[in-house]
Amino acid sequence: VASLVRDGLNEHLRDDPAFWFHGMHDEKQQACLLILSRSDDVVSPLMHEFSYQAMVYDVYNVHPAAPVPAVTNAQRKHVLDEADSLWKRDRHTHVNRVVDHALAAAERAGDSP
C-alpha cells in the first residue's frame, strides 16, 4: 500500500507544474508520509500518562500539587484522599485496569443478595 501511494504521489508531483517539487530534488528534501494500520496506537506516545489519578486531574481540572476536590453528584460528596482505599489502591493504576476493577466490583455487588 505504501509503495502504491508513494508512486502515485511522485507521479502526481512530476505532472503538476504548480507544485514546487516536480520530483527533481533528492530524497533528503522530500517530506515523509507515515502510513499505519488502524490497529496501531499513534496517540499514546504523544500523550501523558494514563493513570486514574491523571484522568481525575484532567476531568476535574486540578493541579497535581493541589488537593483533589470533593467529587459531587446529585446524591453524594466524596473526597479522594489517603482515607479512600480505592483511591489509594488505584490512583497510579492504568485507566483500563481501574475500569476492570470497577466492573468486577459492580458484578460482585450485583451477585450479592
Side-chain angles (χ1 to χ4, degrees), residues 11 23 30 45 66 71 88 107 110:
E11 182 180 328
Q30 291 183 15
V71 176
K88 193 173 176 180
E107 247 180 55

Side-chain angles (χ1 to χ4, degrees), residues 1-11 33 35:
V1 172
S3 294
L4 291 172
V5 171
R6 182 197 61 217
D7 294 344
L9 283 173
N10 284 338
E11 182 180 328
L33 173 63
I35 299 174

Side-chain angles (χ1 to χ4, degrees), residues 54-67:
M55 182 194 71
V56 169
Y57 287 158
D58 287 348
V59 170
Y60 292 104
N61 197 25
V62 294
H63 187 275

Side-chain angles (χ1 to χ4, degrees), residues 74-107:
Q75 300 158 350
R76 304 179 200 175
K77 183 175 183 178
H78 187 80
V79 177
L80 299 174
D81 62 9
E82 294 297 315
D84 181 342
S85 62
L86 295 176
W87 175 253
K88 193 173 176 180
R89 180 191 75 190
D90 288 336
R91 68 180 171 196
H92 300 296
T93 305
H94 192 279
V95 173
N96 284 343
R97 185 161 293 181
V98 175
V99 169
D100 292 341
H101 291 166
L103 290 174
E107 247 180 55

Side-chain angles (χ1 to χ4, degrees), residues 14-96:
R14 276 192 299 274
D15 296 341
D16 186 355
F19 195 74
W20 72 270
F21 175 67
H22 301 294
M24 302 298 180
H25 298 285
D26 65 17
E27 289 186 19
K28 290 182 182 178
Q29 294 177 334
Q30 291 183 15
C32 178
L33 173 63
L34 188 60
I35 299 174
L36 301 171
S37 167
R38 290 177 70 185
S39 64
D40 292 332
D41 182 6
V42 297
V43 176
S44 292
L46 305 175
M47 303 280 298
H48 62 83
E49 64 177 307
F50 284 99
S51 69
Y52 180 55
Q53 185 175 32
M55 182 194 71
V56 169
Y57 287 158
D58 287 348
V59 170
Y60 292 104
N61 197 25
V62 294
H63 187 275
V68 177
V71 176
T72 306
N73 64 23
Q75 300 158 350
R76 304 179 200 175
K77 183 175 183 178
H78 187 80
V79 177
L80 299 174
D81 62 9
E82 294 297 315
D84 181 342
S85 62
L86 295 176
W87 175 253
K88 193 173 176 180
R89 180 191 75 190
D90 288 336
R91 68 180 171 196
H92 300 296
T93 305
H94 192 279
V95 173
N96 284 343

